[in-house]
Amino acid sequence: MSAAGDRPPGTRTVFDADALGITTVLTLVFVLLAEFNVPWLLIPFGLFVLFAAPGYGAAALLFGRRALSSLAMNLALIVGLSVLINVVVGTVLLLLGISPLAAILGAGDAALCTVATAVQFRRPWEAPLERRILRLRTAFELPGFSRPQRAAAYALFAGILVTFAAIGYLSTVPSGGSPDLSLAVVGPDGTTASLPTTGGVNTTISLTVDVGNNASAQSLVLSVSSVLVGQNATSLAAVPWTMPIHLAPNVTSSEVLSLSRDAHSTVGISFQFSASGDYRLLFSLSPTGSSATLRSVALSLLIS
Protein backbone atom coordinates (compact mmCIF):
# COMPACT_ATOMS: atom_id res chain seq x y z
CA MET A 1 0.00 0.00 0.00
CA SER A 2 1.29 3.45 -0.87
CA ALA A 3 2.19 5.93 1.83
CA ALA A 4 -0.04 8.88 2.50
CA GLY A 5 0.40 11.61 -0.08
CA ASP A 6 2.41 9.43 -2.50
CA ARG A 7 0.67 9.13 -5.87
CA PRO A 8 1.20 5.68 -7.45
CA PRO A 9 1.57 5.81 -11.23
CA GLY A 10 -1.72 5.96 -13.08
CA THR A 11 -3.98 6.64 -10.11
CA ARG A 12 -6.68 9.28 -9.74
CA THR A 13 -9.94 9.64 -7.81
CA VAL A 14 -13.06 11.78 -8.05
CA PHE A 15 -12.08 13.57 -4.84
CA ASP A 16 -8.52 14.28 -5.88
CA ALA A 17 -6.20 16.43 -3.76
CA ASP A 18 -4.98 18.33 -6.83
CA ALA A 19 -8.56 19.03 -7.94
CA LEU A 20 -9.40 20.17 -4.41
CA GLY A 21 -6.44 22.55 -4.54
CA ILE A 22 -7.69 24.00 -7.83
CA THR A 23 -11.15 24.33 -6.29
CA THR A 24 -9.66 26.28 -3.40
CA VAL A 25 -7.85 28.64 -5.77
CA LEU A 26 -10.98 29.25 -7.87
CA THR A 27 -12.99 29.96 -4.72
CA LEU A 28 -10.38 32.46 -3.54
CA VAL A 29 -10.56 34.14 -6.94
CA PHE A 30 -14.32 34.49 -6.41
CA VAL A 31 -13.67 36.18 -3.06
CA LEU A 32 -11.40 38.73 -4.77
CA LEU A 33 -13.93 39.33 -7.55
CA ALA A 34 -16.70 39.86 -5.00
CA GLU A 35 -14.54 42.23 -2.97
CA PHE A 36 -13.54 44.33 -6.00
CA ASN A 37 -17.00 44.01 -7.64
CA VAL A 38 -16.19 42.57 -11.07
CA PRO A 39 -19.72 41.58 -12.19
CA TRP A 40 -18.92 40.02 -15.58
CA LEU A 41 -16.61 37.48 -13.91
CA LEU A 42 -18.70 37.04 -10.77
CA ILE A 43 -21.37 35.09 -12.66
CA PRO A 44 -19.28 32.05 -13.75
CA PHE A 45 -17.24 31.97 -10.55
CA GLY A 46 -20.39 32.49 -8.49
CA LEU A 47 -22.03 29.50 -10.16
CA PHE A 48 -19.02 27.37 -9.31
CA VAL A 49 -18.94 28.48 -5.66
CA LEU A 50 -22.70 28.17 -5.24
CA PHE A 51 -23.10 24.68 -6.71
CA ALA A 52 -19.72 22.94 -6.52
CA ALA A 53 -16.91 24.23 -4.32
CA PRO A 54 -18.08 23.67 -0.71
CA GLY A 55 -19.90 20.44 -1.55
CA TYR A 56 -16.81 19.05 -3.27
CA GLY A 57 -14.69 19.78 -0.21
CA ALA A 58 -17.29 18.44 2.22
CA ALA A 59 -17.80 15.24 0.20
CA ALA A 60 -14.03 14.66 0.13
CA LEU A 61 -13.89 14.98 3.92
CA LEU A 62 -16.82 12.58 4.33
CA PHE A 63 -15.88 9.90 1.80
CA GLY A 64 -12.14 10.26 1.36
CA ARG A 65 -10.87 8.84 -1.91
CA ARG A 66 -13.80 6.41 -2.20
CA ALA A 67 -16.25 7.98 -4.61
CA LEU A 68 -19.83 6.78 -4.78
CA SER A 69 -20.53 4.11 -7.39
CA SER A 70 -22.66 6.35 -9.62
CA LEU A 71 -21.57 9.54 -11.35
CA ALA A 72 -25.07 10.96 -10.90
CA MET A 73 -24.92 10.24 -7.16
CA ASN A 74 -21.54 11.97 -6.89
CA LEU A 75 -22.83 15.05 -8.72
CA ALA A 76 -26.03 15.11 -6.67
CA LEU A 77 -24.02 14.81 -3.48
CA ILE A 78 -21.66 17.66 -4.42
CA VAL A 79 -24.42 20.00 -5.60
CA GLY A 80 -26.70 19.16 -2.67
CA LEU A 81 -23.99 19.73 -0.07
CA SER A 82 -22.92 22.97 -1.78
CA VAL A 83 -26.42 24.42 -1.75
CA LEU A 84 -27.01 23.26 1.83
CA ILE A 85 -23.76 24.75 3.14
CA ASN A 86 -24.16 28.07 1.31
CA VAL A 87 -27.81 28.48 2.30
CA VAL A 88 -27.22 27.67 5.99
CA VAL A 89 -24.10 29.82 6.34
CA GLY A 90 -25.62 32.64 4.26
CA THR A 91 -28.77 32.64 6.39
CA VAL A 92 -26.75 32.86 9.58
CA LEU A 93 -24.71 35.74 8.19
CA LEU A 94 -27.89 37.57 7.20
CA LEU A 95 -29.47 37.07 10.63
CA LEU A 96 -26.33 38.38 12.32
CA GLY A 97 -26.11 41.29 9.89
CA ILE A 98 -22.55 40.39 8.86
CA SER A 99 -21.34 41.73 5.52
CA PRO A 100 -20.10 41.66 2.79
CA LEU A 101 -22.08 38.44 2.43
CA ALA A 102 -20.62 37.08 -0.84
CA ALA A 103 -16.98 37.63 0.11
CA ILE A 104 -17.35 36.13 3.60
CA LEU A 105 -19.32 33.16 2.29
CA GLY A 106 -16.68 32.55 -0.39
CA ALA A 107 -13.89 32.77 2.17
CA GLY A 108 -15.63 30.17 4.32
CA ASP A 109 -16.00 27.86 1.32
CA ALA A 110 -12.32 28.36 0.48
CA ALA A 111 -11.35 27.47 4.05
CA LEU A 112 -13.41 24.27 3.83
CA CYS A 113 -11.72 23.32 0.55
CA THR A 114 -8.29 24.09 2.02
CA VAL A 115 -8.90 21.72 4.93
CA ALA A 116 -10.22 19.06 2.55
CA THR A 117 -7.14 19.45 0.33
CA ALA A 118 -4.76 18.97 3.25
CA VAL A 119 -6.67 15.97 4.62
CA GLN A 120 -7.04 14.34 1.21
CA PHE A 121 -3.35 14.76 0.44
CA ARG A 122 -2.45 12.72 3.53
CA ARG A 123 -4.77 9.84 2.67
CA PRO A 124 -3.32 6.77 0.87
CA TRP A 125 -4.07 6.09 -2.78
CA GLU A 126 -6.16 3.09 -3.69
CA ALA A 127 -7.54 2.67 -7.19
CA PRO A 128 -5.58 2.75 -10.46
CA LEU A 129 -6.52 5.17 -13.19
CA GLU A 130 -7.79 2.45 -15.55
CA ARG A 131 -10.39 1.29 -13.03
CA ARG A 132 -11.63 4.86 -12.49
CA ILE A 133 -11.94 5.44 -16.24
CA LEU A 134 -13.92 2.20 -16.56
CA ARG A 135 -16.28 3.27 -13.76
CA LEU A 136 -16.76 6.69 -15.36
CA ARG A 137 -17.52 5.18 -18.78
CA THR A 138 -19.92 2.67 -17.23
CA ALA A 139 -21.78 5.47 -15.44
CA PHE A 140 -22.35 7.25 -18.75
CA GLU A 141 -23.28 4.07 -20.61
CA LEU A 142 -26.21 3.38 -18.23
CA PRO A 143 -26.17 -0.40 -18.68
CA GLY A 144 -29.52 -2.16 -18.52
CA PHE A 145 -31.44 0.70 -20.18
CA SER A 146 -32.69 0.87 -23.75
CA ARG A 147 -31.39 3.46 -26.18
CA PRO A 148 -34.51 5.72 -25.89
CA GLN A 149 -34.29 5.53 -22.10
CA ARG A 150 -30.62 6.52 -22.17
CA ALA A 151 -31.41 9.41 -24.53
CA ALA A 152 -34.17 10.59 -22.17
CA ALA A 153 -31.80 10.33 -19.19
CA TYR A 154 -29.12 12.35 -20.98
CA ALA A 155 -31.69 15.00 -21.95
CA LEU A 156 -32.97 15.16 -18.38
CA PHE A 157 -29.45 15.50 -17.02
CA ALA A 158 -28.72 18.32 -19.50
CA GLY A 159 -31.95 20.03 -18.46
CA ILE A 160 -30.94 19.82 -14.81
CA LEU A 161 -27.59 21.43 -15.60
CA VAL A 162 -29.27 24.23 -17.55
CA THR A 163 -31.74 24.79 -14.70
CA PHE A 164 -28.96 25.02 -12.13
CA ALA A 165 -27.07 27.41 -14.40
CA ALA A 166 -30.15 29.65 -14.72
CA ILE A 167 -30.73 29.63 -10.96
CA GLY A 168 -27.09 30.42 -10.33
CA TYR A 169 -27.12 33.25 -12.83
CA LEU A 170 -30.20 34.82 -11.26
CA SER A 171 -28.69 34.45 -7.79
CA THR A 172 -25.53 36.33 -8.83
CA VAL A 173 -27.32 39.23 -10.52
CA PRO A 174 -27.61 42.07 -7.97
CA SER A 175 -31.19 42.97 -7.21
CA GLY A 176 -32.17 46.48 -8.11
CA GLY A 177 -29.17 46.75 -10.43
CA SER A 178 -31.09 49.18 -12.63
CA PRO A 179 -32.07 52.17 -10.42
CA ASP A 180 -35.68 53.32 -10.48
CA LEU A 181 -37.16 56.78 -10.29
CA SER A 182 -38.12 57.65 -6.72
CA LEU A 183 -39.79 60.46 -4.79
CA ALA A 184 -39.92 60.84 -1.02
CA VAL A 185 -40.98 63.61 1.35
CA VAL A 186 -39.32 63.87 4.78
CA GLY A 187 -39.10 66.34 7.59
CA PRO A 188 -36.31 68.85 8.26
CA ASP A 189 -34.18 66.21 10.02
CA GLY A 190 -34.39 63.80 7.06
CA THR A 191 -36.94 61.41 8.60
CA THR A 192 -40.69 61.00 8.25
CA ALA A 193 -41.02 61.36 12.03
CA SER A 194 -40.48 65.12 11.75
CA LEU A 195 -42.96 65.68 8.90
CA PRO A 196 -45.24 68.60 9.80
CA THR A 197 -48.91 67.81 10.34
CA THR A 198 -50.14 71.19 11.60
CA GLY A 199 -49.27 74.84 11.16
CA GLY A 200 -50.56 78.37 11.42
CA VAL A 201 -51.66 80.92 8.85
CA ASN A 202 -48.70 82.88 7.44
CA THR A 203 -46.33 80.59 9.39
CA THR A 204 -43.37 79.15 7.50
CA ILE A 205 -43.36 75.35 7.30
CA SER A 206 -40.32 73.45 6.04
CA LEU A 207 -39.68 69.96 4.70
CA THR A 208 -37.38 68.13 2.27
CA VAL A 209 -38.12 66.34 -0.98
CA ASP A 210 -35.75 63.56 -2.08
CA VAL A 211 -35.66 62.67 -5.77
CA GLY A 212 -33.76 59.66 -7.10
CA ASN A 213 -33.26 59.41 -10.85
CA ASN A 214 -33.06 56.23 -12.93
CA ALA A 215 -30.39 55.21 -15.43
CA SER A 216 -31.35 57.95 -17.94
CA ALA A 217 -30.35 61.60 -17.72
CA GLN A 218 -33.51 63.69 -17.91
CA SER A 219 -35.34 66.84 -16.83
CA LEU A 220 -38.34 66.42 -14.54
CA VAL A 221 -40.90 68.84 -13.16
CA LEU A 222 -41.29 68.80 -9.39
CA SER A 223 -44.67 70.21 -8.38
CA VAL A 224 -46.50 70.87 -5.13
CA SER A 225 -50.25 71.45 -5.06
CA SER A 226 -52.58 72.34 -2.19
CA VAL A 227 -56.29 71.47 -2.13
CA LEU A 228 -58.78 71.50 0.71
CA VAL A 229 -59.70 67.99 1.86
CA GLY A 230 -63.03 66.92 0.40
CA GLN A 231 -62.78 69.24 -2.60
CA ASN A 232 -61.86 68.27 -6.15
CA ALA A 233 -60.21 71.21 -7.84
CA THR A 234 -60.58 71.26 -11.63
CA SER A 235 -58.07 74.07 -12.11
CA LEU A 236 -55.16 75.22 -9.99
CA ALA A 237 -53.68 78.70 -9.84
CA ALA A 238 -49.92 78.74 -10.41
CA VAL A 239 -47.71 80.68 -8.01
CA PRO A 240 -43.93 81.29 -8.29
CA TRP A 241 -41.44 78.72 -6.97
CA THR A 242 -39.86 81.11 -4.48
CA MET A 243 -39.25 80.22 -0.87
CA PRO A 244 -41.48 80.32 1.03
CA ILE A 245 -44.06 79.23 -1.55
CA HIS A 246 -47.37 81.00 -0.91
CA LEU A 247 -49.99 78.26 -0.89
CA ALA A 248 -53.75 78.46 -0.55
CA PRO A 249 -56.77 76.43 -1.68
CA ASN A 250 -56.37 75.25 -5.29
CA VAL A 251 -52.79 76.48 -5.74
CA THR A 252 -49.79 74.85 -7.41
CA SER A 253 -46.13 75.65 -7.90
CA SER A 254 -43.42 73.83 -9.85
CA GLU A 255 -39.72 73.73 -10.59
CA VAL A 256 -37.69 71.95 -13.30
CA LEU A 257 -34.98 69.57 -12.05
CA SER A 258 -32.16 68.53 -14.39
CA LEU A 259 -30.94 65.12 -13.24
CA SER A 260 -28.01 63.09 -14.52
CA ARG A 261 -28.24 59.30 -14.64
CA ASP A 262 -28.35 57.58 -11.24
CA ALA A 263 -28.43 61.03 -9.62
CA HIS A 264 -30.00 61.81 -6.25
CA SER A 265 -31.30 65.30 -5.54
CA THR A 266 -32.44 66.77 -2.23
CA VAL A 267 -34.74 69.81 -2.50
CA GLY A 268 -35.52 71.90 0.57
CA ILE A 269 -38.99 73.47 0.45
CA SER A 270 -40.67 76.01 2.71
CA PHE A 271 -44.18 77.38 2.31
CA GLN A 272 -46.86 79.52 3.95
CA PHE A 273 -50.66 79.32 3.86
CA SER A 274 -52.75 82.47 3.55
CA ALA A 275 -55.96 80.76 4.74
CA SER A 276 -56.80 78.14 7.36
CA GLY A 277 -58.22 74.74 6.52
CA ASP A 278 -57.57 71.02 6.30
CA TYR A 279 -55.23 70.71 3.30
CA ARG A 280 -54.04 67.87 1.13
CA LEU A 281 -50.60 68.58 -0.31
CA LEU A 282 -49.55 66.60 -3.36
CA PHE A 283 -45.89 66.42 -4.38
CA SER A 284 -45.39 64.98 -7.87
CA LEU A 285 -42.83 64.33 -10.59
CA SER A 286 -43.71 64.58 -14.28
CA PRO A 287 -41.77 64.85 -17.55
CA THR A 288 -41.22 68.34 -18.92
CA GLY A 289 -43.97 69.27 -21.36
CA SER A 290 -46.29 66.54 -20.11
CA SER A 291 -49.00 66.33 -17.47
CA ALA A 292 -48.46 62.62 -16.84
CA THR A 293 -47.51 61.96 -13.23
CA LEU A 294 -44.55 59.60 -12.81
CA ARG A 295 -44.32 59.62 -9.02
CA SER A 296 -46.40 61.32 -6.31
CA VAL A 297 -46.55 61.63 -2.53
CA ALA A 298 -49.52 63.08 -0.60
CA LEU A 299 -49.34 64.86 2.76
CA SER A 300 -52.16 66.05 5.04
CA LEU A 301 -51.72 69.36 6.83
CA LEU A 302 -54.10 71.18 9.21
CA ILE A 303 -53.67 74.96 9.11
CA SER A 304 -55.37 77.01 11.83
Side-chain angles (χ1 to χ4, degrees):
M1 180 178 292
S2 301
D6 294 336
R7 180 197 297 268
T11 58
R12 189 175 302 276
T13 67
V14 172
F15 303 117
D16 186 89
D18 293 339
L20 283 165
I22 295 173
T23 300
T24 304
V25 172
L26 293 178
T27 308
L28 289 173
V29 171
F30 167 78
V31 175
L32 293 176
L33 294 174
E35 185 66 23
F36 291 100
N37 193 21
V38 187
W40 61 279
L41 281 176
L42 269 176
I43 293 175
F45 280 89
L47 289 173
F48 178 76
V49 171
L50 179 61
F51 290 118
Y56 189 51
L61 289 174
L62 290 173
F63 295 97
R65 299 189 186 277
R66 300 182 304 277
L68 300 179
S69 58
S70 168
L71 176 64
M73 291 178 64
N74 283 305
L75 290 177
L77 176 68
I78 292 171
V79 173
L81 286 175
S82 293
V83 173
L84 177 64
I85 292 171
N86 285 322
V87 168
V88 171
V89 176
T91 302
V92 172
L93 293 176
L94 284 174
L95 291 176
L96 297 179
I98 301 175
S99 60
L101 180 62
I104 296 176
L105 190 61
D109 292 342
L112 174 62
C113 292
T114 301
V115 173
T117 303
V119 172
Q120 198 75 330
F121 181 76
R122 297 179 60 85
R123 285 170 172 162
W125 288 86
E126 297 173 355
L129 176 61
E130 291 77 7
R131 188 184 306 171
R132 295 297 176 181
I133 294 177
L134 178 60
R135 288 182 181 179
L136 181 63
R137 186 171 66 246
T138 303
F140 278 107
E141 288 177 351
L142 299 177
F145 292 90
S146 65
R147 180 175 297 178
Q149 288 174 330
R150 287 197 295 269
Y154 295 148
L156 180 60
F157 182 69
I160 292 173
L161 292 180
V162 172
T163 302
F164 275 124
I167 294 173
Y169 171 78
L170 294 176
S171 67
T172 56
V173 175
S175 60
S178 181
D180 192 17
L181 186 66
S182 63
L183 175 67
V185 180
V186 295
D189 64 354
T191 67
T192 56
S194 61
L195 275 172
T197 56
T198 60
V201 174
N202 295 325
T203 299
T204 300
I205 301 172
S206 299
L207 49 76
T208 302
V209 176
D210 291 331
V211 180
N213 194 25
N214 54 27
S216 302
Q218 59 184 324
S219 293
L220 299 172
V221 178
L222 173 62
S223 302
V224 55
S225 305
S226 59
V227 178
L228 289 172
V229 173
Q231 294 185 1
N232 294 320
T234 56
S235 61
L236 300 176
V239 297
W241 186 274
T242 55
M243 302 300 136
I245 303 173
H246 294 283
L247 298 178
N250 304 334
V251 166
T252 185
S253 185
S254 60
E255 174 75 349
V256 176
L257 302 178
S258 296
L259 301 172
S260 57
R261 57 176 298 178
D262 303 344
H264 183 272
S265 179
T266 301
V267 182
I269 298 178
S270 61
F271 45 85
Q272 294 179 352
F273 286 86
S274 59
S276 61
D278 190 2
Y279 287 90
R280 179 179 181 268
L281 268 63
L282 182 66
F283 300 85
S284 62
L285 283 177
S286 59
T288 55
S290 173
S291 59
T293 300
L294 300 176
R295 297 289 185 274
S296 64
V297 177
L299 177 67
S300 296
L301 198 59
L302 180 62
I303 303 299
S304 57

